[in-house]
Amino acid sequence: MAIQRPKGTQDLLPGAVEQWQYLEETIRSVCREYGYEEIRTPIFEATELFQRGVGQTTDIVQKEMYTFLDKGDRSMTLRPEGTASVCRAYVENKLHGQPQPVKLYYMGPMFRYERPQSGRFRQFHQFGVEVLGADQPLVDAEVISLVWNLYQRLGLTKLEVHVNSVGCPVCRAKHREQLQEFLALRRNELCDDCRDRFETNPLRILDCKNQSCQTITKGAPTTLDTLCENCKTHFEKVQDLLEEAGVVYRVDSRLVRGIDYYTKTAFEVMVEEIGAQSAICGGGRYDGLVEEIGGPPTPGIGFAMGIERVLTALQVQHKLPEGKPRLYAMLIALGEKAQSKGFSLLSALRVQGMPVSMDLQGRNLKAQLKAANRQGAHYALILGEEELERNVVLIRDLTLGEQTEVPLAEAVETLNEKYRRGV
Ligand code: HAM
């Protein structure tokens, strides 16, 4: 039996790849405009980084990591997300010694052993941003407005931006206590997972998809109810700045992120049209993470978006540029001699930056013309034995059906001039 790709992964074929490139290029230009620089970290890291960074009680660490022992018996994990790696790199490369904040972005594959379904993969791709070394509300607002402006640039509509504050360790402890008190009497009615979460991470109960847990948590105290003065002022300032920046958002006191490192601001962007996995972006502040993984106390904030989900939203909303880039000219060489002469003409055209191609199988004129049309070529450059003898090449405009003859020595210049004029 033929071998198949692993469940939850995708092959990206020509046609789809161009859409990825379009999105990646748009992302890169928005990052440049905001002054973010790219960082590339390893695809696998010491397992402990994610245990400490993402958090022992999270679904990611408990159920979803691709963990293996390498040949030296070290436990390694394919990265399930990018934030912990970026913080590790910040500490390891002493980026805290540079002018702060450090504004970084990354794009690449992440791995989570989840149940694959529409919009949920085991290998998926994220574009993410992390700002390290600044705790001002202005940074939170800049990061969220970057997301917003990227989506505006892409033409995405029907976005729902949800913003919340989960507080700092001080107000979180108070919330935890109040929440446990609220849930104590009905603790036994919670689902199995939430009964465990009651002790380990009660905040996550607010995010449970189970119907009975949702009923039980109706009216439960939210993190907004217990914010300390400092966190409250911070959150209010973030909201003022978001309004200033023209971001349309709503405060969602039930927004709980699935990762443990968050403090203060947390946010998500949803597009309902793309189905159950509607979160196209998630992020927030994580002021304790760098210290948690062994670095100096450093505030941080960032987000990551699922490239596959953003592309689905763009598809559903018909906002993707059409099709593959067109070939400018197809060289049709007939006979062996013409082929080698044509081959050097092709190289000369490529040096000038023109996308050109030729038949590599020695097919006849009709078959080659058909291939040129199929690939959307603007011109066919025909070089047969007779043309070769007279040192000319035929330039046939495939759209107009017109044909001119030019000396071989002038072919590059003639075509280059047409190409620059866009004809
Ligand atoms: P996250 O919410 O786990 O956050 O993931 C961010 C985004 O990645 C999601 O909103 C979704 O679009 C996409 N995503 C997650 N899992 C999958 C999957 N299995 N298949 C397809 N797409 C998926 C983080 O990863 C944090 N590191 C974000 C962050 C950065 N927070 C602060 N800085």
Side-chain angles (χ1 to χ4, degrees):
M1 206 171 73
I3 297 170
Q4 296 186 326
R5 62 173 183 265
K7 232 172 123 180
T9 67
Q10 280 182 296
D11 294 315
L12 297 174
L13 303 179
V17 168
E18 287 75 12
Q19 301 183 336
W20 280 65
Q21 289 170 340
Y22 158 74
L23 178 55
E24 287 162 1
E25 278 156 24
T26 312
I27 286 170
R28 286 183 194 287
S29 49
V30 171
C31 284
R32 253 194 310 276
E33 289 156 23
Y34 274 77
Y36 286 69
E37 293 178 301
E38 185 175 359
I39 181 167
R40 300 187 187 192
T41 60
I43 299 285
F44 62 94
E45 297 268 4
T47 303
E48 196 190 347
L49 174 68
F50 303 114
Q51 289 169 335
R52 266 160 64 182
V54 173
Q56 288 284 9
T57 66
T58 58
D59 284 353
I60 295 182
V61 169
Q62 286 191 348
K63 306 179 196 164
E64 297 169 0
M65 295 209 299
Y66 279 91
T67 297
F68 58 95
L69 284 182
D70 73 6
K71 293 193 196 300
D73 264 351
R74 289 169 286 251
S75 179
M76 295 289 158
T77 294
L78 298 185
R79 61 182 189 193
E81 59 104 52
T83 312
S85 304
V86 170
C87 290
R88 184 211 34 79
Y90 174 87
V91 176
E92 192 165 342
N93 298 285
K94 302 198 171 46
L95 301 187
H96 40 83
Q98 293 185 3
Q100 304 293 296
V102 175
K103 308 205 298 184
L104 301 166
Y105 82 92
Y106 52 89
M107 268 194 270
M110 306 290 162
F111 307 85
R112 294 185 195 175
Y113 194 82
E114 294 195 82
R115 198 169 49 77
Q117 61 182 90
S118 161
R120 197 203 269 156
F121 303 93
R122 289 184 173 166
Q123 173 173 331
F124 60 100
H125 297 74
Q126 284 185 340
F127 152 55
V129 149
E130 314 293 349
V131 183
L132 290 152
D135 62 1
Q136 294 83 351
L138 196 56
V139 187
D140 308 37
E142 175 177 281
V143 163
I144 298 174
S145 84
L146 189 160
V147 176
W148 177 258
N149 285 326
L150 170 65
Y151 292 155
Q152 300 302 309
R153 177 85 51 100
L154 293 166
L156 272 184
T157 56
K158 299 185 203 153
L159 299 171
E160 280 188 43
V161 181
H162 291 210
V163 184
N164 191 18
S165 175
V166 295
C168 63
V170 177
C171 35
R172 206 63 151 269
K174 203 159 131 204
H175 176 253
R176 182 190 163 101
E177 214 172 90
Q178 289 192 6
L179 185 60
Q180 280 176 328
E181 213 170 279
F182 179 90
L183 295 171
L185 286 178
R186 303 183 70 181
R187 187 175 170 177
N188 292 334
E189 298 167 48
L190 294 168
C191 72
D192 289 348
D193 279 347
C194 285
R195 266 199 300 260
D196 290 341
R197 287 176 186 143
F198 185 87
E199 291 299 345
T200 57
N201 195 351
L203 184 62
R204 292 291 322 276
I205 301 177
L206 297 181
D207 193 36
C208 184
K209 302 287 171 275
N210 185 299
Q211 197 57 48
S212 89
C213 294
Q214 289 190 354
T215 315
I216 294 167
T217 55
K218 261 202 193 111
T222 68
T223 48
L224 288 187
D225 298 327
T226 48
L227 288 189
C228 64
E229 263 325 296
N230 180 15
C231 289
K232 205 167 156 195
T233 320
H234 184 97
F235 192 43
E236 279 162 6
K237 187 76 194 157
V238 171
Q239 292 178 63
D240 289 348
L241 289 164
L242 288 179
E243 262 143 53
E244 208 67 58
V247 178
V248 180
Y249 70 95
R250 77 181 176 87
V251 173
D252 175 2
S253 63
R254 308 256 322 183
L255 173 69
V256 173
R257 306 267 305 126
I259 301 177
D260 279 355
Y261 47 60
Y262 292 107
T263 54
K264 295 185 177 167
T265 314
F267 63 96
E268 259 176 26
V269 183
M270 261 81 74
V271 176
E272 293 302 336
E273 282 172 304
I274 62 170
Q277 304 304 315
S278 63
I280 57 170
C281 176
R285 187 164 269 293
Y286 46 85
D287 290 346
L289 178 57
V290 174
E291 204 175 355
E292 179 65 42
I293 61 169
T298 310
I301 178 165
F303 66 78
M305 60 182 72
I307 298 277
E308 289 84 355
R309 292 189 194 172
V310 174
L311 281 168
T312 305
L314 289 167
Q315 257 147 20
V316 170
Q317 298 188 2
H318 306 291
K319 297 288 162 54
L320 281 172
E322 282 294 315
K324 294 198 238 173
R326 287 176 59 184
L327 204 60
Y328 187 60
M330 177 74 105
L331 183 99
I332 297 181
L334 304 163
E336 217 169 289
K337 263 194 174 146
Q339 254 185 353
S340 41
K341 193 81 190 167
F343 193 56
S344 70
L345 172 59
L346 212 61
S347 305
L349 293 171
R350 284 172 174 158
V351 167
Q352 299 296 322
M354 279 174 261
V356 290
S357 194
M358 76 186 279
D359 177 86
L360 301 171
Q361 292 157 296
R363 288 182 291 189
N364 66 26
L365 177 65
K366 199 171 152 212
Q368 292 199 42
L369 273 173
K370 206 168 144 193
N373 275 311
R374 206 176 36 236
Q375 294 198 41
H378 195 141
Y379 293 105
L381 313 178
I382 303 169
L383 197 58
E385 270 169 29
E386 197 218 330
E387 285 78 22
L388 207 59
E389 239 159 60
R390 294 195 291 118
N391 256 315
V392 295
V393 59
L394 299 179
I395 302 184
R396 184 185 293 186
D397 185 321
L398 291 172
T399 342
L400 302 175
E402 289 165 1
Q403 188 162 299
T404 49
E405 189 179 283
V406 291
L408 251 180
E410 291 167 25
V412 175
E413 201 188 319
T414 309
L415 281 160
N416 200 12
E417 190 267 331
K418 284 179 189 291
Y419 185 65
R420 302 293 151 211
R421 280 197 293 124
V423 296

